[in-house]
Amino acid sequence: MNAPARPPQERIPYEQIVFSLAGDGIARITLNRPDRLNSLTDRMRAEITQALHEAKASPGLRGVIITGAGRGFCAGQDLADRKPLPPGERRDLAEGLRASYRPLMERMRSMQVPIICVVNGVAAGAGVSLALACDVVFAVESAKFVQAFGKIGLVPDMGGTWILPRLVGQARAMGITLFGETLTARQAADWGLIWRCVPDADLRKTLDEIASMLAQAPTRALARAKQALLASGGNTLMRQFDLEAELQREVGYTDDYREGMQAFAEKRAPRFMGR
């Protein structure tokens, strides 16, 4: 796994997200600027990063679910969040990316549990990148995905140019990016951009089902499966084989593996404790 991002130096109150960590070990993060379609600000990115840090520090963490409030998931960067510059001056956009977007991406990739995104409405620009940085993405049927960077003269960021072609292939990644066409949730599922499209009426049911599944899963095994899949793109087949062997050795000593084998022998559902 990638090295974990450094935690925020000072805890800030949550104003632009809703964060909760339930007794079942499921952390929920809801982007909460519905009047702005949950567009990203420096504050919101810092709050998401902090929430992930707090979740990771919880010894009973089983999974993380990210969604949005209102009718949109995330409309990308809130351009109004950037202070106007004097006439003739230019902004170094790389500074903001490295200062706030990169720590968020590092934190997401370093989480030792699955991060599930449920896209409840439009995802645009960095909102697409945020969703796709999660391990599994669900979307309601009315959701839409659009790479809108070209409309303001920018290139995709937040790791979008790395993730997108790996999900849908180079040709589709180019088309989505260069032409900025909107994808429906159904298209996104058909293309392999997301895992599953669900009816809008099933949004709450889907969130609850995901939480229940994660709370009953063999947490360490899922964490190591995530680690292996993320490492595969940079490994040869034999290096990946060796990594799998080491990870399998680790999870083979867990209580959950013992419980899984016993449940199989007894023909009953396993009761995994995440250990």
Side-chain angles (χ1 to χ4, degrees):
M1 304 286 278
N2 293 338
R6 289 176 297 176
Q9 296 299 309
E10 182 179 342
R11 191 184 187 285
I12 57 176
Y14 293 116
E15 297 176 352
Q16 298 187 5
I17 70 169
V18 176
F19 172 64
S20 65
L21 182 54
D24 59 3
I26 305 304
R28 295 178 183 246
I29 297 173
T30 302
L31 312 184
N32 194 32
R33 302 182 70 223
D35 56 317
R36 300 287 296 175
L37 291 177
N38 302 316
S39 53
L40 292 162
T41 64
D42 288 345
R43 173 83 188 205
M44 181 184 280
R45 286 190 297 274
E47 290 184 19
I48 299 170
T49 304
Q50 177 178 278
L52 291 172
H53 174 65
E54 289 191 19
K56 186 175 183 178
S58 172
L61 184 68
R62 308 291 292 271
V64 178
I65 300 174
I66 299 178
T67 191
R71 60 189 180 89
F73 171 68
C74 178
Q77 170 67 39
D78 188 343
L79 300 180
D81 189 50
R82 292 172 174 162
K83 295 179 181 179
L85 294 175
E89 289 194 18
R90 299 290 187 268
R91 190 187 309 275
D92 183 351
L93 297 180
E95 289 184 357
L97 287 171
R98 294 190 176 111
S100 61
Y101 277 106
R102 179 164 181 157
L104 174 55
M105 289 293 293
E106 289 178 336
R107 174 57 64 204
M108 294 177 74
R109 288 290 168 160
S110 70
M111 294 293 289
Q112 297 289 303
V113 296
I115 303 179
I116 311 300
C117 181
V118 180
V119 177
N120 58 298
V122 64
V128 176
S129 299
L130 176 63
L132 300 184
C134 297
D135 300 313
V136 180
V137 182
F138 291 76
V140 298
E141 289 179 338
S142 65
K144 292 179 172 56
F145 298 82
V146 56
Q147 285 286 47
F149 292 93
K151 298 182 184 301
I152 57 172
L154 294 177
V155 300
D157 54 29
M158 201 179 168
T161 58
W162 189 91
I163 297 172
L164 195 58
R166 284 166 169 78
L167 292 175
V168 300
Q170 190 76 1
R172 282 174 166 165
M174 282 286 186
I176 293 169
T177 301
L178 301 186
F179 297 122
E181 294 183 6
T182 299
L183 286 185
T184 65
R186 184 61 60 189
Q187 284 177 298
D190 290 344
W191 284 18
L193 186 71
I194 65 173
W195 168 237
R196 185 172 296 167
C197 178
V198 300
D200 286 52
D202 290 348
L203 173 60
R204 179 53 56 187
K205 176 184 175 183
T206 299
L207 288 167
D208 291 342
E209 287 178 348
I210 293 170
S212 178
M213 183 276 291
L214 292 177
Q216 299 176 58
T219 306
R220 288 180 62 182
L222 296 190
R224 295 301 172 246
K226 171 180 174 176
Q227 177 181 347
L229 289 168
L230 291 177
S232 65
N235 276 345
T236 64
L237 174 59
M238 289 299 100
R239 281 206 303 266
Q240 189 70 12
F241 185 99
D242 290 340
L243 173 62
E244 290 170 352
E246 290 302 312
L247 298 177
Q248 203 73 299
R249 170 188 288 148
E250 177 188 335
V251 298
Y253 287 114
T254 63
D255 292 342
D256 278 347
Y257 171 64
R258 178 178 295 184
E259 164 62 14
M261 293 298 293
Q262 186 171 342
F264 180 81
E266 297 173 359
K267 295 182 173 54
R268 59 173 175 80
R271 295 182 290 272
F272 295 124
M273 303 301 293
R275 299 192 296 266

